[in-house]
Amino acid sequence: MPVEVNVPEFAFEPVTVSLARHAGGARFEDPAFTFLDFGSSTDGVPSTVSWLELDRRARAIAVRLDRLAEPGDRVAVLCPQNLDYVAGFLAALYAGLTAVPLVEPGGPTHLRRLVGALTDCAPRVWLTSSSALPAVRQLQHGGEVPEPRRVLVVDRIGTRSADEFLPVRIDQEQPAYLQYTSGSTRRPAGAVITHRALLANIRQAQAAFGLDASTTSVGWLPFFHDMGLLQLICLPVVLGCRTVFTTPSAFTRRPVRWLRMLASHPRVLTAAPNFAFEYAAAKLTAEERARLDLSGVEVAINGSEPVRDATVAGFLSGTAGTGFAATAHRPSYGLAEATVFVTTTPAGTPPRAVAFDRDQLSKGTAVPAAGPGERTVTMVSVGRPAGQHLRIVDPDLGLVLPDGEVGEIWIHGPNVASAYWGRAAESESTFDGMLATAEAGVPADGWLRTGDLGVIHEGELFVTARLKDLIVVDGRNHHPHDIEATVQDAHHAIQRDRLAAFSVEKNGREVPVVVAERVRTGDREPDIAEVERAVRAAVSRHHDLRLADFVLVQPGSVPRTSSGKIARSEARDRYLDGVLATGGRCAR
């Protein structure tokens, strides 16, 4: 079983109590949050609020919320990713209401998820900004979602009314916010994150990563995503450390902006999914690298999707000479149902990769390979849990499996969400796992069934796949991200991290299919037959598997979740509906 990171005992207090303390203390004029706006400047235009200014903004908005909503009501945050979002989210907590952090309307990318969330929880009040108001009004009156009682434009609310704010008593089991899951294997659901769970997860992360008030939290992750919300808003407020942030689009347009932000501040904490590290290293020029000093980066969390050994090595190589320490790169595991953070690698150690025997892994056992070869699969450790129990369990029998055996990852801790909003049956099946194996000092019931498969090897967790994504052919288990890694390396015409492997039923048996986006090459079309031959040969050689179908599609066609993960279940549905075959089809 994994060795757990001890977390010191802590007394409960709401996040907003910490905010009030910073605003009323000796550091009230210190910068709290800085937003870098790259929309009108290549260098980024900074906007900064002090702890006192942020506190007064949040209190003033809370006064308005108190007049419009009742205890238990939901408040949707539909602001752009800027200081308005920070103030609006904290205002909902101040008012004792349930915040629903979402994305501002605009564009089709997140529209379905946004409509689904608003329909699911029917927020009484929507918070937005002047710049997003036209799109919000269109959504409000479009007939697709329940209309709120009121839309508040937070940047139009002055701070004078902050003096009218009367503190609201917050119970620790009261919902702080609904974290809508990314929906990689099912429709999004709102995980109910209580005030107790939020504070517990912050303290767990603080202990695991060695954070304090001198830390600078830097990043671009979206606030509506679990890691972005915790890393860039909630954790800094509790710790009293400064946050410097920008938007996801600012990063994707020029990833060096992220690296320059990291280089500009001391004792940096940052977080990003695996693809971001690969993308940033690939786009970094020699001239840009020569001007970077990343020696101040103490923690760079790599999570929210499978961490690849090649990415870790590539980022270290790409940033060589910048002072970035290998020990700062911290592969981690988490999910919305656990607030976010679950495990990370031990402090002071570089990322650890292990090559396992592929054939044994397909049978459910993780055995280190005897030597290098094609019949291996390399996985990166995501470390140990912090302040919570983690077990690998047979999902059908509830039996705790021994180290080295692959099973479902189950979690028990104060950071686990209390339920899914309005979904009793789904909540019971997810949050009330029962262990059949008695263990002294470990609860038998109330376990979070993550839906992820993993294995414990030498005391550390290795995540292998989503349980529902697992491809089973002729009694052998194949992990989709393992096949995807093989396919994306098979031909240069395939866009990295933009492909999905899944199984479909054909003639009464499960068969594997891969859908992959082609690279953006202007008007020049790839030789589809050549790509197919390379892919099929690679999958056969590395996995002893014959693809039933391979589909090469246009860029942007493979669906992704709000956190950037491949939505394999949705890709499978689109494939079966025949809507993915837009860039050329190689069917058998």
Side-chain angles (χ1 to χ4, degrees):
M1 67 183 65
V3 178
E4 297 170 4
V5 177
N6 291 324
V7 176
E9 292 290 331
F10 56 89
F12 169 76
E13 66 176 25
V15 169
T16 47
V17 170
S18 297
L19 175 58
R21 184 166 56 250
H22 306 322
R27 298 173 50 236
F28 70 98
E29 291 184 326
D30 287 356
F33 285 79
T34 296
F35 169 58
L36 285 177
D37 185 358
F38 289 97
S40 58
S41 170
T42 57
D43 296 325
V45 177
S47 298
T48 299
V49 291
S50 68
W51 290 110
L52 178 60
E53 290 168 336
L54 176 61
D55 183 66
R56 289 189 62 79
R57 282 200 67 187
R59 287 172 182 253
I61 300 167
V63 169
R64 297 289 297 277
L65 287 174
D66 186 59
R67 298 168 183 168
L68 295 170
E70 303 293 332
D73 282 346
R74 279 75 59 207
V75 176
V77 186
L78 302 172
C79 300
Q81 179 140 325
N82 56 25
L83 296 174
D84 293 343
Y85 203 115
V86 178
F89 175 79
L90 294 172
L93 300 191
Y94 249 141
L97 304 173
T98 303
V100 187
L102 297 170
V103 64
E104 67 168 312
T109 304
H110 300 294
L111 181 59
R112 187 174 68 171
R113 179 179 182 274
L114 177 58
V115 169
L118 291 172
T119 302
D120 186 62
C121 68
R124 178 68 65 90
V125 182
W126 294 2
L127 301 180
T128 192
S129 305
S130 298
S131 61
L133 186 59
V136 167
R137 291 297 190 198
Q138 184 176 0
L139 178 65
Q140 177 187 5
H141 302 306
E144 292 188 87
V145 299
E147 285 205 36
R149 172 182 290 182
R150 185 74 175 272
V151 173
L152 288 182
V153 184
V154 298
D155 54 323
R156 297 178 183 174
I157 298 175
T159 59
R160 183 177 300 177
S161 60
D163 296 327
E164 303 173 22
F165 176 76
L166 298 176
V168 177
R169 183 182 180 277
I170 303 295
D171 184 84
Q172 63 179 351
E173 299 303 332
Q174 181 178 332
Y177 60 92
L178 304 184
Q179 181 64 66
Y180 274 85
T181 61
S182 53
S184 59
T185 59
R186 54 170 167 70
R187 64 193 179 103
V192 180
I193 307 301
T194 65
H195 285 271
R196 171 175 174 264
L198 175 58
L199 182 64
N201 207 224
I202 290 170
R203 295 305 187 191
Q204 290 163 343
Q206 179 185 9
F209 296 115
L211 310 173
D212 58 34
S214 66
T215 299
T216 310
S217 188
V218 178
W220 51 267
L221 290 176
F223 290 155
F224 63 84
H225 181 240
D226 48 14
M227 178 55 82
L229 186 70
L230 188 120
Q231 183 231 328
L232 295 174
I233 298 182
C234 299
L235 184 147
V237 168
V238 171
L239 269 60
C241 66
R242 185 181 182 183
T243 297
V244 181
F245 70 95
T246 189
T247 64
S249 61
F251 163 74
T252 55
R253 288 170 184 162
R254 289 201 66 194
V256 72
R257 291 167 172 165
W258 177 39
L259 302 181
R260 287 172 177 165
M261 290 167 64
L262 301 181
S264 300
H265 301 279
R267 298 207 59 206
V268 166
L269 159 73
T270 193
N274 184 81
F275 88 88
F277 290 92
E278 182 172 342
Y279 182 50
K283 294 293 185 180
L284 186 63
T285 67
E287 182 180 359
E288 290 169 340
R289 181 169 54 246
R291 297 178 180 178
L292 287 176
D293 179 2
L294 300 179
S295 60
V297 180
E298 295 188 350
V299 177
I301 300 172
N302 186 337
S304 90
E305 62 185 17
V307 181
R308 302 190 190 280
D309 181 46
T311 299
V312 174
F315 187 78
L316 291 177
S317 175
T319 57
T322 65
F324 182 83
T327 54
H329 202 137
R330 303 286 292 274
S332 304
Y333 167 71
L335 67 165
E337 289 83 350
T339 303
V340 57
F341 171 66
V342 176
T343 72
T344 191
T345 50
T349 63
R352 174 186 174 219
V354 177
F356 293 101
D357 183 291
R358 188 186 301 275
D359 295 324
Q360 291 297 319
L361 194 63
S362 70
K363 298 174 184 177
T365 304
V367 178
E374 293 183 346
R375 305 300 298 172
T376 63
V377 54
T378 299
M379 294 191 293
V380 177
S381 164
V382 291
R384 306 167 182 172
Q388 49 198 295
H389 299 297
L390 185 151
R391 297 292 183 269
I392 303 300
V393 180
D394 181 316
D396 298 319
L397 301 178
L399 294 171
V400 175
L401 298 175
D403 291 5
E405 296 296 314
V406 177
E408 186 178 11
I409 302 169
W410 286 23
I411 299 164
H412 198 292
N415 55 299
V416 173
S418 61
Y420 288 125
W421 176 261
R423 300 186 188 183
E426 193 173 346
S427 296
E428 183 177 0
S429 64
T430 301
F431 297 100
D432 200 19
M434 176 78 71
L435 291 181
T437 309
E439 190 175 337
V442 176
D445 59 358
W447 285 78
L448 166 61
R449 304 179 57 152
T450 68
D452 291 323
L453 292 175
V455 63
I456 301 299
H457 175 70
E458 296 182 351
E460 296 185 5
L461 175 65
F462 293 78
V463 181
T464 59
R466 286 287 301 176
L467 183 59
K468 294 181 180 180
D469 286 339
L470 194 66
I471 298 172
V472 184
V473 177
D474 297 331
R476 295 178 59 208
N477 297 334
H478 299 272
H479 304 290
H481 60 78
D482 190 19
I483 296 173
E484 291 158 5
T486 296
V487 171
Q488 71 181 12
D489 290 334
H491 197 281
H492 59 80
I494 296 173
Q495 181 67 43
R496 301 186 68 81
D497 295 319
R498 295 294 189 273
L499 64 165
F502 49 84
S503 63
V504 298
E505 185 175 339
K506 185 177 182 180
N507 299 325
R509 58 191 295 266
E510 291 295 307
V511 294
V513 171
V514 171
V515 174
E517 294 181 13
R518 68 173 181 83
V519 297
R520 299 180 184 274
T521 54
D523 296 331
R524 181 167 55 87
E525 294 291 333
D527 185 330
I528 297 175
E530 176 188 301
V531 176
E532 179 193 15
R533 285 193 297 269
V535 166
R536 288 182 177 277
V539 172
S540 176
R541 182 171 63 254
H542 289 282
H543 304 273
D544 193 21
L545 197 63
R546 184 176 184 272
L547 289 181
D549 200 0
F550 172 72
V551 184
L552 191 67
V553 297
Q554 298 287 354
S557 299
V558 176
R560 298 175 72 84
T561 69
S562 62
S563 61
K565 300 176 186 177
I566 294 298
R568 298 186 184 96
S569 180
E570 184 177 348
R572 179 181 183 273
D573 292 342
R574 292 189 186 184
Y575 168 82
L576 292 173
D577 291 340
V579 298
L580 276 174
T582 58
R585 184 175 176 83
C586 305
R588 289 292 181 269

